[in-house]
Amino acid sequence: MSRDSKLSGVLHLLLHMVQDRAPKTSETLAKAMDTNPVVVRRLMAGLRDHNLVRSEKGHGGGWTLACDPANVTLRDVYDALGQPALLAIANRNERAGCMVEASVNTALSKSFAEAQAILLVRFGELTLAMLSADIQKRLKQRGRLTKVKVHG
Amino acid sequence: MSRDSKLSGVLHLLLHMVQDRAPKTSETLAKAMDTNPVVVRRLMAGLRDHNLVRSEKGHGGGWTLACDPANVTLRDVYDALGQPALLAIANRNERAGCMVEASVNTALSKSFAEAQAILLVRFGELTLAMLSADIQKRLKQRGRLTKVKVHG
DNA sequence: TTTATAGTAACATTCGAAGTTACATGAGTC
DNA sequence: GACTCATGTAACTTCGAATGTTACTATAAA
């Protein structure tokens, strides 16, 4: 469990919720993600604070979407998760006064910043609605393939 | 110690070696990097296998540059380190047949690939000689500032 | 009152990067 | 040849982050 997969995981949950708007319990969502209900609640907590989802306690409660999928980008979701680190590599701590380290770190930092910026831009271009449409397309595609298989 | 700083660390070492071509022991290099000689040997092992540096055992031995700094890019160094992961975030493992997960992962993977590609391109544009020149500039700059300070 | 749900703190697990120890190997020096 | 200085490397330790788990509280509906 090294790489952070919170974004991937929480998008999975959100899109299941877009596909079916009935309230979902943490238990149900956990099963879809093959994990623990507490993990789900932790992931969703940030989204709730950013008004992307709502939660209801008690009987018949659960999680519901609180946003328009067409207006929410992956960038919004990423922000709601608390902007976890994007890059796995980083500079060593500078030793004060070492020009070599300063030079190396400056050069690397520029590349790092550029890569991060690209990621954030791409995230900002993708909405939940776009992904949802893609899912629909895939489902239709699979249906067609299944028929072909059955008929062939 | 979470983020990988091997590249930053090993560049630090290489550039010290560019600045002063006499053989350096792991002990000496470790001090420059504020770490342990064994860590240095581990970092340098990959570079040696890629013919970027040479090592000599025994009395008077140590590490020497085995390449032309003008012809070696950060990309070469990165490759010699074994191409450690660049991104800190990743997809969750796909559950076979879940179109939602498939769609999310595809979308994210495209952005991930683009960010990684940018990093590698930037690495490929920077040579050790360029960084070395930058260090020289910084050293001169510092000298000038020191003088001003002394005289002012 | 019981049951179903989220909220959350505390703890456990797992993994990878980095640091450390211990010892083997090889190359000069005396 | 014995000694010393170096790298080579396996094995272990330490540390932090992501994730998973347990246990409990609070709340809402039946």
Side-chain angles (χ1 to χ4, degrees):
Chain A
M1 281 162 239
S2 177
R3 319 279 279 279
D4 180 336
S5 63
K6 284 196 278 290
L7 183 60
S8 171
V10 86
L11 284 173
H12 188 174
L13 300 183
L14 281 173
L15 286 162
H16 271 296
M17 292 166 69
V18 170
Q19 302 283 307
D20 171 5
R21 305 292 288 249
K24 301 263 180 309
T25 67
S26 306
E27 180 86 30
T28 305
L29 292 174
K31 272 175 191 152
M33 226 178 80
D34 211 12
T35 182
N36 191 294
V38 177
V39 172
V40 170
R41 292 191 198 112
R42 258 197 316 238
L43 285 176
M44 301 293 272
L47 304 197
R48 182 189 51 224
D49 297 346
H50 281 68
N51 299 310
L52 298 182
V53 298
R54 236 186 313 266
S55 64
E56 297 289 345
K57 287 181 178 180
H59 221 111
W63 299 91
T64 46
L65 225 52
C67 62
D68 177 353
N71 291 334
V72 174
T73 68
L74 303 205
R75 172 66 193 269
D76 297 323
V77 176
Y78 169 75
D79 289 345
L81 286 174
Q83 309 180 321
L86 294 171
L87 299 186
I89 65 181
N91 291 327
R92 278 186 84 86
N93 285 336
E94 280 192 40
R95 299 192 64 180
C98 179
M99 290 299 111
V100 174
E101 189 120 52
S103 178
V104 168
N105 286 356
T106 302
L108 289 179
S109 291
K110 279 184 191 163
S111 302
F112 293 165
E114 195 174 353
Q116 286 185 308
I118 280 283
L119 270 179
L120 293 180
V121 167
R122 291 293 171 261
F123 288 171
E125 290 168 350
L126 291 166
T127 66
L128 295 183
M130 289 178 195
L131 288 184
S132 183
D134 180 64
I135 291 164
Q136 292 300 340
K137 206 176 70 183
R138 285 167 186 261
L139 287 172
K140 275 184 200 149
Q141 183 70 21
R142 181 166 70 172
R144 209 181 307 142
L145 287 175
T146 305
K147 265 184 205 157
V148 167
K149 205 175 172 189
V150 168
H151 291 177
Chain B
M1 281 162 242
S2 178
R3 319 278 279 280
D4 180 335
S5 63
K6 285 197 277 290
L7 182 60
S8 171
V10 87
L11 284 173
H12 189 174
L13 299 183
L14 281 172
L15 285 163
H16 271 296
M17 291 166 69
V18 170
Q19 301 283 308
D20 170 5
R21 306 291 289 248
K24 301 264 182 307
T25 67
S26 306
E27 180 87 29
T28 305
L29 292 174
K31 273 175 192 153
M33 226 179 81
D34 211 13
T35 182
N36 191 294
V38 178
V39 173
V40 170
R41 290 191 200 114
R42 258 196 317 237
L43 285 176
M44 301 293 273
L47 304 196
R48 182 190 51 224
D49 297 345
H50 281 68
N51 299 310
L52 298 183
V53 298
R54 236 186 313 266
S55 64
E56 296 290 345
K57 286 182 177 178
H59 222 110
W63 299 91
T64 46
L65 226 51
C67 62
D68 177 354
N71 290 334
V72 174
T73 67
L74 303 205
R75 173 65 194 269
D76 297 321
V77 177
Y78 170 76
D79 289 346
L81 287 174
Q83 308 181 320
L86 294 171
L87 299 187
I89 64 182
N91 291 327
R92 280 186 83 86
N93 286 336
E94 278 191 43
R95 300 191 63 180
C98 178
M99 289 300 110
V100 174
E101 190 120 54
S103 178
V104 168
N105 286 355
T106 301
L108 288 179
S109 291
K110 277 185 193 165
S111 302
F112 293 163
E114 194 174 353
Q116 286 185 309
I118 279 282
L119 271 179
L120 293 180
V121 166
R122 291 294 170 260
F123 287 171
E125 290 168 350
L126 291 166
T127 66
L128 295 184
M130 289 179 196
L131 288 184
S132 184
D134 179 63
I135 291 165
Q136 293 300 339
K137 206 177 70 183
R138 284 166 185 262
L139 287 172
K140 274 184 201 152
Q141 182 71 20
R142 182 166 69 172
R144 211 179 306 142
L145 287 174
T146 305
K147 264 183 205 159
V148 168
K149 205 176 172 186
V150 168
H151 290 178

